[in-house]
Amino acid sequence: MTMEDGTSMSPGYCRDTDYDALQWDTREDCEVRQILDRIADKWSLLVIALLDQRSLRFTELRRTIDGVSQRMLTRTLRQLERDGLVSRTVYPAVPPRVDYALTPMGVTLHHTIRALVTWTEEHQNEIAHARAAYDIRAVAEQEGAEREAAERDAIAREVLAGGSRTR
Amino acid sequence: MTMEDGTSMSPGYCRDTDYDALQWDTREDCEVRQILDRIADKWSLLVIALLDQRSLRFTELRRTIDGVSQRMLTRTLRQLERDGLVSRTVYPAVPPRVDYALTPMGVTLHHTIRALVTWTEEHQNEIAHARAAYDIRAVAEQEGAEREAAERDAIAREVLAGGSRTR
DNA sequence: CAGTATCCCCATAGATACTG
DNA sequence: CAGTATCTATGGGGATACTG
C-alpha cells in the first residue's frame, strides 16, 4: 500500500473548532475541498460520466477517454473506489477482466454535477461576452497608461530643455 | 496586460467536430472544464461564498480568508472579474478603496454550487465509511500477499533442502 | 488484460520585495 | 490600501518499462 495520495486517514472533517458557515471550505482536511478536488481533477468527472451509462472494463475506459495514461486512469479509479463512488469487480479468468461501475452514491453525485454542467451550458455565452469585454477594457487601459507616460516624458523633456535655455 | 493565465481567447467552445454527449469534458478549451477549474481552484469558491453575503473590500477578503496571499487573492479576483462573476468597483480616494461584489451571474453560480456542498454534507459520513473500509481491505490484501510470499519461500527452501539430501 | 514501478517536467502556489 | 514584479518549490500528471 503505497498511500501515494495525500488524503489523510485520521481526521477528515472540517476543523469544527471555531466553525464558521463561511469557512466550510478552509482548505486541507475539509470534506467539501476533497470532493471538489476529486471531481475537478482531470479525469474523475469523465469516468463518472461514462460509467453512468453502463459499467465498463479498464481498457474500455482507457480507449474511450483518449488522452488518459494507464497510470492516471488507475489512480483515478482507485480514488473513486476508495471514496465509494465507483465499484470494482474482478472476474477471475484468463485473461483477467475487471469491471467498473458507479455505486448508488456515485449516481447521486453525477446528478448533482449535472446541475453544474447545465449552469455552464446556460451561461457560456454570457461568460464569453464578459471575457471579451474585460479584455477590451484591459487593452484600453494599457494604451491609456502608455499615452500618459509618453505625455509625462514629453513634458519632462520640455522642462529640462527650458531650464538649460533660461540658465 | 500580462495574460499570465492560460484560458485561450479564441475558440472557447468544446470541439463540436465529432461531438459526443459523453465527451463534453474533453479537456482543453471546454467551457465546463474551465468553469470547473475556476470553482475548484483553491480560493475562488471561498471568495464567492463570502461575497454572497455582502460586497467586501480587498483587505476584508484577505483578512477573512486567512491563508491566502496577496498575489493569489488578486489573481483569483481578476479571474472571477474576467468571467463576469464578480464586479470590481474603485472609489477614487486616498487611501484607495476597492469593493468586490457578486454579479447576478455570480449569484446563480453560487446557488448551483450550494447543491454540491449540500451533497457533500449529506454524504460525508458514507464517504468516510467507504474510505475506512477500503483502507482496511488494502491492509488485509497486503498482509495476505506477504503471508503467501513467505509460504512460497518456505516451500522453495524445503524443496531445495530435500533435493540436496536425495542427491 | 490490467495493472505497478520509475523517472521527469512544468504549471501553479507561495514567499518576498517593491509601488502608485 | 491595493496592488505588481520576481523568484523558488511542490506535486499533479505524462512517458516509459516491466509483471501476474
Side-chain angles (χ1 to χ4, degrees):
Chain A
M1 197 171 73
T2 15
M3 264 293 124
E4 198 191 323
D5 68 312
T7 44
S8 65
M9 297 171 59
S10 24
Y13 299 91
C14 291
R15 57 167 70 93
D16 39 8
T17 59
D18 209 10
Y19 184 81
D20 179 349
L22 302 176
Q23 291 286 352
W24 42 261
D25 195 31
T26 7
R27 59 227 50 81
E28 45 228 80
D29 52 46
C30 170
E31 295 287 338
V32 178
R33 246 286 60 84
Q34 290 182 31
I35 292 300
L36 219 51
D37 287 345
R38 189 102 318 137
I39 68 156
D41 75 19
K42 222 175 169 187
W43 310 109
S44 296
L45 196 46
L46 243 328
V47 170
I48 290 173
L50 286 170
L51 292 182
D52 188 51
Q53 322 291 314
R54 61 186 187 87
S55 74
L56 292 170
R57 304 178 55 171
F58 186 85
T59 312
E60 289 179 310
L61 283 167
R62 184 153 161 53
R63 268 202 310 272
T64 313
I65 294 185
D66 121 312
V68 71
S69 64
Q70 273 182 334
R71 180 183 185 273
M72 277 301 105
L73 184 53
T74 305
R75 276 180 57 82
T76 303
L77 289 167
R78 288 292 172 283
Q79 313 247 62
L80 293 173
E81 190 195 354
R82 185 164 114 94
D83 287 351
L85 297 167
V86 157
S87 66
R88 177 172 178 270
T89 317
V90 183
Y91 297 97
V94 181
R97 175 197 177 95
V98 179
D99 273 25
Y100 292 93
L102 276 193
T103 62
M105 178 162 65
V107 173
T108 68
L109 177 57
H110 188 225
H111 290 339
T112 308
I113 292 171
R114 294 290 311 172
L116 206 62
V117 175
T118 303
W119 184 93
T120 305
E121 285 166 354
E122 285 170 353
H123 293 83
Q124 55 181 347
N125 289 331
E126 199 171 344
I127 292 172
H129 258 94
R131 286 181 183 168
Y134 180 95
D135 293 339
I136 287 172
R137 282 204 308 277
V139 169
E141 279 172 29
Q142 169 92 339
E143 285 171 354
E146 276 167 12
R147 218 192 36 245
E148 279 180 34
E151 278 170 19
R152 271 199 308 277
D153 262 27
I155 291 170
R157 255 192 300 278
E158 202 157 315
V159 169
L160 284 170
S164 56
R165 223 186 300 125
T166 43
R167 157 69 287 271
Chain B
M1 197 169 73
T2 15
M3 264 293 123
E4 197 190 326
D5 65 313
T7 44
S8 66
M9 295 171 61
S10 25
Y13 298 92
C14 291
R15 58 167 68 94
D16 39 8
T17 59
D18 209 12
Y19 184 80
D20 178 350
L22 302 176
Q23 291 287 352
W24 42 261
D25 195 30
T26 7
R27 56 226 48 82
E28 43 229 79
D29 53 47
C30 170
E31 294 287 339
V32 178
R33 245 286 61 86
Q34 289 182 33
I35 292 300
L36 217 51
D37 286 345
R38 190 102 317 137
I39 69 155
D41 77 18
K42 222 173 168 187
W43 310 109
S44 295
L45 196 46
L46 243 327
V47 170
I48 290 172
L50 285 171
L51 292 183
D52 189 51
Q53 324 290 315
R54 61 186 186 86
S55 75
L56 293 169
R57 305 179 54 171
F58 185 86
T59 312
E60 289 178 311
L61 284 167
R62 182 153 164 55
R63 267 201 311 271
T64 313
I65 294 185
D66 120 311
V68 71
S69 63
Q70 272 181 336
R71 179 181 186 274
M72 279 300 106
L73 183 53
T74 305
R75 279 181 56 82
T76 302
L77 289 167
R78 287 295 173 280
Q79 314 248 60
L80 293 172
E81 189 195 355
R82 185 164 114 94
D83 287 350
L85 297 166
V86 157
S87 67
R88 176 171 178 271
T89 317
V90 183
Y91 297 98
V94 181
R97 175 197 178 95
V98 180
D99 272 24
Y100 291 94
L102 276 193
T103 62
M105 178 162 65
V107 173
T108 68
L109 176 58
H110 189 225
H111 289 339
T112 308
I113 292 171
R114 293 293 308 173
L116 205 63
V117 175
T118 304
W119 183 93
T120 306
E121 286 166 354
E122 285 169 352
H123 293 85
Q124 52 181 349
N125 290 330
E126 198 172 345
I127 292 172
H129 258 93
R131 286 181 183 168
Y134 179 95
D135 292 338
I136 287 171
R137 282 205 308 278
V139 169
E141 280 171 29
Q142 169 91 340
E143 286 172 353
E146 277 169 10
R147 216 191 40 243
E148 279 180 33
E151 279 170 21
R152 272 200 307 278
D153 262 28
I155 291 171
R157 256 192 298 278
E158 203 158 315
V159 169
L160 284 170
S164 58
R165 223 185 300 122
T166 41
R167 155 69 297 256

